[in-house]
Amino acid sequence: MNDIKRRGKLVKKSDTVNELNFKDNKNGKHKPSIHKGLPLRVLSRGVVIASLLIVVYFTSKDELRTFARQNEVLSGKVQPLQCSPQYLKEINSYDGCVPKSCKRFVFDTVVSLTEVEGLLAIAKKGLKHGRSLGGASVIDLHSGAMSKGQAFINIYESHSMKNLFTEDDFNLYRSVKEKVKYTIANHFNVNADKIYLTHPTFISEMTSRNAVTKHDEYWHSHVDKETYPSFHYTSLVYLSDYNINFEGGRFVFIDEKYNTTIEPKKGRLSIFTSGHENLHFVEKVKSGVRYAMTIAFTCDKKQAIQDPSIDKYNIP
Ligand SMILES: O=C(O)CCC(=O)C(=O)O
Ligand SMILES: [Fe+2]
């Protein structure tokens, strides 16, 4: 066959030889001369494109650093930080609750896959009765708030959901919360009796659907202490896998020199101080469904909440 397939185009074999430009030299021998066959215009364009690619590669490399990849198993990766002055000023008045230093941690060995499956089942069981019209739904086991349409309903006040959540569900939530609390206490060198579960505490479901209300806009950068004033320590437990269950949706810390990303992974626990040192956002989910659980702790006993329990059902 005289035709050769190259770069999706059919070219004549004779053309290919021409392009490589085998020419007779003085000795009558064939010597390949690639350059002579390419017009200067094409060569200079190639050089410009290559230079641009090199510049883009080296400048963008420093803007985003992956702190935790989905395919890694981390037993406690840490990134130390400077606490923001506002955070320190506020937290300093709480004895036994001041972190030795501000940090971020990721652990893949604290929450088990069995626990993840149980938490996912809780989320799906509840959200089946609701879900936002937009891309973000939440279910808060403490307040009972769950997204439905363009608003929220209370799962504990709806007859159709009466006793939907069982003692086992609440026990699971509580045991994961306790593990997270002790991990925070150990790694920030604070007293576990001086940090209290606080509101809100929820499981989120994020998709690529367009936002309908502002509650669906999960991708804005924020400081947790501003969004949820009672927070002092934030924890996130991921219930689905980046690039397996969904695309997009990485967690991103915004830092001065470069951004730091965490790729969600089933059972991955991320903990960090809730002040300005940890400005962050979640990338828009491009496809699939992303689940995560937010559990936070406060140093302020007045902002403490009880563990969610079956006593929440107050339907006669
Ligand atoms: O789901 C996440 O990765 C982060 C969610 C978040 O930023 C928050 O709940 O404040
Ligand atoms: Fe947040």
Side-chain angles (χ1 to χ4, degrees), residues 79-95:
Q79 186 176 11
L81 305 161
Q82 280 273 343
C83 296
S84 76
Q86 301 102 298
Y87 181 77
L88 268 189
K89 192 166 170 232
E90 213 243 297
I91 207 166
N92 262 329
S93 54
Y94 299 103
D95 241 14

PDB file of all heavy atoms in Angstrom, residues 79-95:
ATOM      1  N   GLN A  79       0.767  20.304  57.234  1.00  0.00           N
ATOM      2  CA  GLN A  79       1.305  21.540  56.668  1.00  0.00           C
ATOM      3  C   GLN A  79       1.173  22.629  57.736  1.00  0.00           C
ATOM      4  O   GLN A  79       0.064  23.028  58.096  1.00  0.00           O
ATOM      5  CB  GLN A  79       0.521  21.927  55.400  1.00  0.00           C
ATOM      6  CG  GLN A  79       1.133  23.117  54.692  1.00  0.00           C
ATOM      7  CD  GLN A  79       0.427  23.447  53.388  1.00  0.00           C
ATOM      8  OE1 GLN A  79      -0.654  22.927  53.093  1.00  0.00           O
ATOM      9  NE2 GLN A  79       1.007  24.334  52.623  1.00  0.00           N
ATOM     10  N   PRO A  80       2.298  23.093  58.296  1.00  0.00           N
ATOM     11  CA  PRO A  80       2.223  24.137  59.321  1.00  0.00           C
ATOM     12  C   PRO A  80       1.915  25.496  58.698  1.00  0.00           C
ATOM     13  O   PRO A  80       2.262  25.748  57.545  1.00  0.00           O
ATOM     14  CB  PRO A  80       3.622  24.144  59.939  1.00  0.00           C
ATOM     15  CG  PRO A  80       4.402  23.082  59.251  1.00  0.00           C
ATOM     16  CD  PRO A  80       3.672  22.695  58.004  1.00  0.00           C
ATOM     17  N   LEU A  81       1.271  26.361  59.466  1.00  0.00           N
ATOM     18  CA  LEU A  81       0.854  27.671  58.958  1.00  0.00           C
ATOM     19  C   LEU A  81       1.035  28.722  60.040  1.00  0.00           C
ATOM     20  O   LEU A  81       1.115  28.381  61.219  1.00  0.00           O
ATOM     21  CB  LEU A  81      -0.653  27.672  58.655  1.00  0.00           C
ATOM     22  CG  LEU A  81      -1.251  26.644  57.734  1.00  0.00           C
ATOM     23  CD1 LEU A  81      -2.740  26.568  57.982  1.00  0.00           C
ATOM     24  CD2 LEU A  81      -0.983  27.060  56.302  1.00  0.00           C
ATOM     25  N   GLN A  82       0.978  29.968  59.652  1.00  0.00           N
ATOM     26  CA  GLN A  82       0.907  31.079  60.612  1.00  0.00           C
ATOM     27  C   GLN A  82      -0.561  31.278  60.949  1.00  0.00           C
ATOM     28  O   GLN A  82      -1.364  31.486  60.043  1.00  0.00           O
ATOM     29  CB  GLN A  82       1.382  32.373  59.922  1.00  0.00           C
ATOM     30  CG  GLN A  82       2.854  32.552  59.826  1.00  0.00           C
ATOM     31  CD  GLN A  82       3.394  33.211  61.075  1.00  0.00           C
ATOM     32  OE1 GLN A  82       2.640  33.794  61.850  1.00  0.00           O
ATOM     33  NE2 GLN A  82       4.689  33.086  61.284  1.00  0.00           N
ATOM     34  N   CYS A  83      -0.940  31.243  62.229  1.00  0.00           N
ATOM     35  CA  CYS A  83      -2.345  31.523  62.568  1.00  0.00           C
ATOM     36  C   CYS A  83      -2.644  32.972  62.206  1.00  0.00           C
ATOM     37  O   CYS A  83      -1.774  33.836  62.339  1.00  0.00           O
ATOM     38  CB  CYS A  83      -2.577  31.409  64.070  1.00  0.00           C
ATOM     39  SG  CYS A  83      -2.336  29.784  64.766  1.00  0.00           S
ATOM     40  N   SER A  84      -3.851  33.251  61.772  1.00  0.00           N
ATOM     41  CA  SER A  84      -4.191  34.647  61.495  1.00  0.00           C
ATOM     42  C   SER A  84      -4.346  35.373  62.825  1.00  0.00           C
ATOM     43  O   SER A  84      -4.780  34.773  63.816  1.00  0.00           O
ATOM     44  CB  SER A  84      -5.481  34.727  60.675  1.00  0.00           C
ATOM     45  OG  SER A  84      -6.583  34.470  61.511  1.00  0.00           O
ATOM     46  N   PRO A  85      -3.994  36.665  62.873  1.00  0.00           N
ATOM     47  CA  PRO A  85      -4.069  37.399  64.140  1.00  0.00           C
ATOM     48  C   PRO A  85      -5.491  37.398  64.728  1.00  0.00           C
ATOM     49  O   PRO A  85      -5.656  37.227  65.940  1.00  0.00           O
ATOM     50  CB  PRO A  85      -3.643  38.822  63.757  1.00  0.00           C
ATOM     51  CG  PRO A  85      -2.910  38.673  62.462  1.00  0.00           C
ATOM     52  CD  PRO A  85      -3.445  37.467  61.771  1.00  0.00           C
ATOM     53  N   GLN A  86      -6.520  37.517  63.863  1.00  0.00           N
ATOM     54  CA  GLN A  86      -7.906  37.516  64.373  1.00  0.00           C
ATOM     55  C   GLN A  86      -8.225  36.211  65.076  1.00  0.00           C
ATOM     56  O   GLN A  86      -8.862  36.185  66.126  1.00  0.00           O
ATOM     57  CB  GLN A  86      -8.957  37.668  63.255  1.00  0.00           C
ATOM     58  CG  GLN A  86      -8.874  38.903  62.402  1.00  0.00           C
ATOM     59  CD  GLN A  86      -8.247  38.560  61.067  1.00  0.00           C
ATOM     60  OE1 GLN A  86      -7.095  38.124  61.010  1.00  0.00           O
ATOM     61  NE2 GLN A  86      -8.964  38.768  59.971  1.00  0.00           N
ATOM     62  N   TYR A  87      -7.796  35.099  64.452  1.00  0.00           N
ATOM     63  CA  TYR A  87      -8.090  33.768  65.001  1.00  0.00           C
ATOM     64  C   TYR A  87      -7.424  33.621  66.371  1.00  0.00           C
ATOM     65  O   TYR A  87      -8.056  33.205  67.341  1.00  0.00           O
ATOM     66  CB  TYR A  87      -7.579  32.700  64.029  1.00  0.00           C
ATOM     67  CG  TYR A  87      -7.838  31.280  64.484  1.00  0.00           C
ATOM     68  CD1 TYR A  87      -9.099  30.712  64.361  1.00  0.00           C
ATOM     69  CD2 TYR A  87      -6.821  30.506  65.037  1.00  0.00           C
ATOM     70  CE1 TYR A  87      -9.341  29.394  64.768  1.00  0.00           C
ATOM     71  CE2 TYR A  87      -7.044  29.198  65.442  1.00  0.00           C
ATOM     72  CZ  TYR A  87      -8.310  28.645  65.307  1.00  0.00           C
ATOM     73  OH  TYR A  87      -8.539  27.351  65.709  1.00  0.00           O
ATOM     74  N   LEU A  88      -6.139  34.014  66.432  1.00  0.00           N
ATOM     75  CA  LEU A  88      -5.396  33.884  67.699  1.00  0.00           C
ATOM     76  C   LEU A  88      -6.029  34.734  68.789  1.00  0.00           C
ATOM     77  O   LEU A  88      -6.189  34.293  69.922  1.00  0.00           O
ATOM     78  CB  LEU A  88      -3.951  34.340  67.479  1.00  0.00           C
ATOM     79  CG  LEU A  88      -2.970  33.257  67.084  1.00  0.00           C
ATOM     80  CD1 LEU A  88      -1.556  33.804  67.108  1.00  0.00           C
ATOM     81  CD2 LEU A  88      -3.066  32.035  68.011  1.00  0.00           C
ATOM     82  N   LYS A  89      -6.406  35.957  68.412  1.00  0.00           N
ATOM     83  CA  LYS A  89      -6.981  36.889  69.382  1.00  0.00           C
ATOM     84  C   LYS A  89      -8.255  36.286  69.974  1.00  0.00           C
ATOM     85  O   LYS A  89      -8.473  36.309  71.177  1.00  0.00           O
ATOM     86  CB  LYS A  89      -7.297  38.203  68.657  1.00  0.00           C
ATOM     87  CG  LYS A  89      -7.622  39.329  69.585  1.00  0.00           C
ATOM     88  CD  LYS A  89      -7.599  40.649  68.869  1.00  0.00           C
ATOM     89  CE  LYS A  89      -8.166  41.715  69.770  1.00  0.00           C
ATOM     90  NZ  LYS A  89      -9.207  42.502  69.172  1.00  0.00           N
ATOM     91  N   GLU A  90      -9.068  35.706  69.101  1.00  0.00           N
ATOM     92  CA  GLU A  90     -10.346  35.160  69.541  1.00  0.00           C
ATOM     93  C   GLU A  90     -10.174  33.905  70.384  1.00  0.00           C
ATOM     94  O   GLU A  90     -10.788  33.753  71.437  1.00  0.00           O
ATOM     95  CB  GLU A  90     -11.190  34.849  68.303  1.00  0.00           C
ATOM     96  CG  GLU A  90     -12.678  35.048  68.540  1.00  0.00           C
ATOM     97  CD  GLU A  90     -13.471  33.768  68.399  1.00  0.00           C
ATOM     98  OE1 GLU A  90     -13.471  33.223  67.298  1.00  0.00           O
ATOM     99  OE2 GLU A  90     -14.084  33.341  69.386  1.00  0.00           O
ATOM    100  N   ILE A  91      -9.310  33.022  69.933  1.00  0.00           N
ATOM    101  CA  ILE A  91      -9.212  31.710  70.584  1.00  0.00           C
ATOM    102  C   ILE A  91      -8.400  31.764  71.885  1.00  0.00           C
ATOM    103  O   ILE A  91      -8.560  30.912  72.764  1.00  0.00           O
ATOM    104  CB  ILE A  91      -8.635  30.661  69.588  1.00  0.00           C
ATOM    105  CG1 ILE A  91      -9.131  29.258  69.957  1.00  0.00           C
ATOM    106  CG2 ILE A  91      -7.139  30.735  69.470  1.00  0.00           C
ATOM    107  CD1 ILE A  91      -8.931  28.222  68.901  1.00  0.00           C
ATOM    108  N   ASN A  92      -7.572  32.794  72.019  1.00  0.00           N
ATOM    109  CA  ASN A  92      -6.700  32.889  73.200  1.00  0.00           C
ATOM    110  C   ASN A  92      -7.442  32.942  74.523  1.00  0.00           C
ATOM    111  O   ASN A  92      -6.884  32.632  75.568  1.00  0.00           O
ATOM    112  CB  ASN A  92      -5.767  34.100  73.078  1.00  0.00           C
ATOM    113  CG  ASN A  92      -4.410  33.649  72.569  1.00  0.00           C
ATOM    114  OD1 ASN A  92      -3.984  32.525  72.838  1.00  0.00           O
ATOM    115  ND2 ASN A  92      -3.735  34.499  71.814  1.00  0.00           N
ATOM    116  N   SER A  93      -8.708  33.323  74.464  1.00  0.00           N
ATOM    117  CA  SER A  93      -9.453  33.436  75.728  1.00  0.00           C
ATOM    118  C   SER A  93     -10.003  32.084  76.195  1.00  0.00           C
ATOM    119  O   SER A  93     -10.622  32.000  77.242  1.00  0.00           O
ATOM    120  CB  SER A  93     -10.584  34.448  75.565  1.00  0.00           C
ATOM    121  OG  SER A  93     -11.367  34.076  74.451  1.00  0.00           O
ATOM    122  N   TYR A  94      -9.806  31.024  75.388  1.00  0.00           N
ATOM    123  CA  TYR A  94     -10.351  29.713  75.762  1.00  0.00           C
ATOM    124  C   TYR A  94      -9.234  28.792  76.236  1.00  0.00           C
ATOM    125  O   TYR A  94      -8.492  28.237  75.421  1.00  0.00           O
ATOM    126  CB  TYR A  94     -11.095  29.082  74.579  1.00  0.00           C
ATOM    127  CG  TYR A  94     -12.265  29.898  74.090  1.00  0.00           C
ATOM    128  CD1 TYR A  94     -12.171  30.666  72.936  1.00  0.00           C
ATOM    129  CD2 TYR A  94     -13.476  29.892  74.791  1.00  0.00           C
ATOM    130  CE1 TYR A  94     -13.248  31.404  72.480  1.00  0.00           C
ATOM    131  CE2 TYR A  94     -14.554  30.636  74.342  1.00  0.00           C
ATOM    132  CZ  TYR A  94     -14.422  31.386  73.189  1.00  0.00           C
ATOM    133  OH  TYR A  94     -15.492  32.129  72.743  1.00  0.00           O
ATOM    134  N   ASP A  95      -9.157  28.662  77.539  1.00  0.00           N
ATOM    135  CA  ASP A  95      -8.121  27.820  78.146  1.00  0.00           C
ATOM    136  C   ASP A  95      -8.196  26.370  77.665  1.00  0.00           C
ATOM    137  O   ASP A  95      -9.288  25.814  77.604  1.00  0.00           O
ATOM    138  CB  ASP A  95      -8.345  27.811  79.669  1.00  0.00           C
ATOM    139  CG  ASP A  95      -7.162  28.374  80.384  1.00  0.00           C
ATOM    140  OD1 ASP A  95      -6.323  28.988  79.694  1.00  0.00           O
ATOM    141  OD2 ASP A  95      -7.075  28.186  81.617  1.00  0.00           O
TER     142      ASP A  95
END
